[in-house]
């Protein structure tokens, strides 16, 4: 298959490109490098022996996207491209709504023009908002998002869903990620946040290499087993393989479908820190801080549907993810910066 991967130089995108290339798919990446480095392309080549075709630019640049589709008759698109910093989205909502929604609208328009009918969209568990019961299934209510980033994920699902109503021959799969962590086992690619990490694992690894003095634990008074927030941490390689499984399934079925991609297990902040310290024999100093606004107490997936319909299961453990994150960070103390 020939696959366009938007945002394919990013954290989840690059791990997915690796798995696609290892499965002999042809990959073209479009990425504006606003949250990625071109170095990742060389790392992908080292891992797979193949260099994906790369176009630097924005998906909403219709002239550029059209020129790419003219050259490459794609079979499918995986759409990762989008801004993803929750806090920044609260400060700059228009930046998020314009970029994350317009990119999807232009992508659908160009896909239609070139008769490309398979789309995998990078959605998020954040569309469930503040859930009332655990674990979360795909049938649970969505839309109670608590920030513009989450709202764009929810709105993109609506846009794609309504597009599929108007185009029943379309195959569109929404993949709702829980909390991606970890890195490729080679340590060559991984999560490379710009500036102060928003997410837990990259903050832990930066503490572990001495770049940060301690980890701030945002609240230990949640109604959970140890008072800290519980999330479903899924290894990024398992997540990447979920995209490959989705593409395979779309060979045989049109229509709009949603899958949770998680492990089905909840882990608290303190439990993840302890797992990291044990797996890597390092110590992570902590400081308990007030809760972070917008955070919820608990969030983990029911993955029955994705396990059954995709034939996909997350097999990598929390320890695997802790070891792989540490290997990436140790080998790349400044990320992809040389
Ligand atoms: C996890 C837990 C924090 C940092 C968000 C998006 C989601 C996805 C991942 C975007 C929470 C605690 C965190 C820190 C901490 N996509 N924490 N100290 O908020 O669950 O999900 O990011 O990237 O769509 O909503 O992930 O890693 O920020 O937080 O105590 O320095 O760790 O309170 O309980 P989150 P997270």
């Amino acid at each position: 298959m020939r696959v366009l991967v938007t945002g394919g130089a990013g954290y989840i995108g690059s791990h997915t490109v690796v798995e696609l290339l290892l499965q002999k798919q042809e990959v073209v990446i479009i990425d504006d490098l606003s949250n990625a480095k071109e170095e990742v392309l060389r790392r992908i080549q080292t891992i797979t022996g193949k260099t994906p075709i790369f176009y630097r630019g924005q998906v909403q640049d219709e002239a550029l996207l059209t020129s790419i589709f003219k050259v490459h008759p794609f079979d499918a698109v995986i759409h990762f491209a989008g801004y993803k910093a929750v806090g920044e989205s609260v400060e700059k909502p228009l930046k998020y709504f314009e970029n994350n929604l317009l990119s999807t609208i232009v992508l659908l328009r160009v896909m239609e023009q070139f008769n490309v009918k398979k789309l995998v969209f990078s959605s998020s568990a954040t569309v469930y908002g503040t859930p009332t019961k655990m674990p979360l299934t795909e049938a649970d209510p969505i839309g109670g998002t608590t920030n513009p980033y989450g709202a764009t994920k929810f709105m993109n699902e609506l846009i794609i869903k309504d597009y599929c109503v108007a185009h029943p021959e379309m195959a569109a799969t929404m993949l709702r990620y829980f909390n991606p962590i970890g890195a490729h086992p080679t340590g060559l690619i991984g999560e490379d946040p710009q500036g102060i990490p928003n997410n837990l694992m990259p903050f832990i690894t930066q503490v572990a290499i001495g770049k940060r003095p301690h980890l701030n634990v945002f609240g230990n008074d949640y109604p959970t087993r140890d008072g800290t927030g519980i999330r479903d941490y899924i290894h990024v390689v398992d997540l990447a393989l979920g995209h490959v499984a989705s593409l395979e399934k779309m060979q045989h079925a049109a229509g709009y479908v949603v899958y949770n991609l998680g492990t089905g297990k909840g882990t608290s902040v303190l439990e993840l820190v302890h797992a990291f310290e044990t797996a890597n024999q390092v110590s992570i100093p902590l400081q308990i801080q007030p809760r972070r606004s917008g955070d919820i107490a608990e969030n983990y997936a029911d993955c029955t549907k994705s396990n059954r319909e995709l034939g996909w299961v997350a097999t990598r453990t929390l320890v695997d993810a802790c070891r792989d994150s540490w290997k990436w960070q140790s080998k790349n103390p400044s990320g992809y910066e040389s």
Side-chain angles (χ1 to χ4, degrees), residues 77-105:
V77 178
I78 304 181
H79 183 31
F80 290 104
Y83 298 145
K84 52 163 275 186
V86 172
E88 184 190 37
S89 78
V90 175
E91 292 162 21
K92 302 175 182 172
L94 294 185
K95 174 181 177 181
Y96 275 69
F97 286 119
E98 179 177 20
N99 184 70
N100 291 8
L101 300 184
L102 192 54
S103 59
T104 303
I105 292 166

Side-chain angles (χ1 to χ4, degrees), residues 84 86 124 126 149 178-179 198-200 203 215-218 229 231 233 269 292 295:
K84 52 163 275 186
V86 172
S124 165
T126 199
Y149 156 79
F178 280 70
N179 285 62
N198 297 304
N199 297 131
L200 181 58
F203 207 108
L215 171 71
N216 295 309
V217 176
F218 296 139
R231 297 291 185 274
Y233 294 101
V269 174
R292 184 173 62 176
D295 273 356

Side-chain angles (χ1 to χ4, degrees), residues 269-279 322:
V269 174
L270 295 180
E271 288 165 349
L272 184 60
V273 170
H274 180 65
F276 188 90
E277 290 179 320
T278 308
C322 290

Side-chain angles (χ1 to χ4, degrees), residues 2-298:
R2 185 176 286 112
V3 187
L4 173 67
V5 181
T6 77
Y11 173 41
I12 301 165
S14 57
H15 286 81
T16 302
V17 166
V18 161
E19 298 308 325
L20 288 170
L21 290 174
L22 290 176
Q23 305 222 352
K24 310 279 186 277
Q25 311 296 352
E26 292 177 48
V27 175
V28 173
I29 294 174
I30 179 171
D31 198 305
D32 66 4
L33 299 183
S34 60
N35 192 27
K37 299 282 188 314
E38 203 160 346
E39 169 61 19
V40 74
L41 302 173
R42 284 178 280 283
R43 305 293 181 92
I44 291 172
Q45 205 287 335
T46 303
I47 296 170
T48 66
K50 299 192 181 96
T51 304
I53 299 166
F54 173 64
Y55 294 89
R56 180 173 185 171
Q58 292 200 305
V59 175
Q60 58 267 44
D61 178 345
E62 192 153 0
L64 171 63
L65 198 63
T66 302
S67 68
I68 295 170
F69 273 72
K70 273 183 185 157
V71 173
H72 305 282
F74 295 116
D75 300 297
V77 178
I78 304 181
H79 183 31
F80 290 104
Y83 298 145
K84 52 163 275 186
V86 172
E88 184 190 37
S89 78
V90 175
E91 292 162 21
K92 302 175 182 172
L94 294 185
K95 174 181 177 181
Y96 275 69
F97 286 119
E98 179 177 20
N99 184 70
N100 291 8
L101 300 184
L102 192 54
S103 59
T104 303
I105 292 166
V106 170
L107 175 63
L108 287 169
R109 193 155 53 218
V110 175
M111 286 177 72
E112 182 174 346
Q113 183 185 343
F114 288 88
N115 208 28
V116 180
K117 299 184 180 305
K118 293 176 176 60
L119 173 64
V120 176
F121 175 64
S122 166
S123 191
S124 165
T126 199
V127 303
Y128 292 112
T130 306
T132 53
K133 71 174 182 61
M134 285 297 141
L136 284 162
T137 74
E138 293 85 351
D140 282 325
I142 61 173
T145 49
T146 56
N147 55 74
Y149 156 79
T152 66
K153 290 298 187 184
F154 170 61
M155 292 175 182
N156 270 323
E157 287 198 10
L158 291 184
I159 290 167
I160 297 166
K161 185 174 185 178
D162 284 347
Y163 181 83
C164 289
V165 169
H167 301 269
E169 74 285 0
M170 187 78 178
T173 301
M174 305 298 104
L175 297 180
R176 291 177 184 162
Y177 311 156
F178 280 70
N179 285 62
I181 59 170
H184 194 265
T186 58
L188 288 170
I189 59 174
E191 191 168 8
D192 181 21
Q194 311 305 304
I196 300 173
N198 297 304
N199 297 131
L200 181 58
M201 181 59 97
F203 207 108
I204 290 174
T205 57
Q206 288 193 10
V207 171
I209 58 165
K211 191 169 181 178
R212 312 272 170 204
H214 61 267
L215 171 71
N216 295 309
V217 176
F218 296 139
N220 67 347
D221 59 350
Y222 283 103
T224 61
R225 49 185 175 267
D226 64 14
T228 62
I230 287 178
R231 297 291 185 274
D232 185 333
Y233 294 101
I234 176 171
H235 195 295
V236 66
V237 174
D238 278 330
L239 197 59
L241 290 169
H243 292 73
V244 175
S246 298
L247 282 181
E248 283 162 10
K249 182 170 182 296
M250 286 201 292
Q251 300 311 308
H252 321 295
Y256 177 90
V257 67
V258 178
Y259 294 112
N260 285 340
L261 292 190
T263 66
K265 293 189 281 292
T267 301
S268 76
V269 174
L270 295 180
E271 288 165 349
L272 184 60
V273 170
H274 180 65
F276 188 90
E277 290 179 320
T278 308
N280 299 310
Q281 292 306 294
V282 295
S283 168
I284 304 292
L286 305 175
Q287 279 196 8
I288 304 297
Q289 302 291 353
R291 295 182 181 186
R292 184 173 62 176
S293 67
D295 273 356
I296 59 177
E298 194 170 19

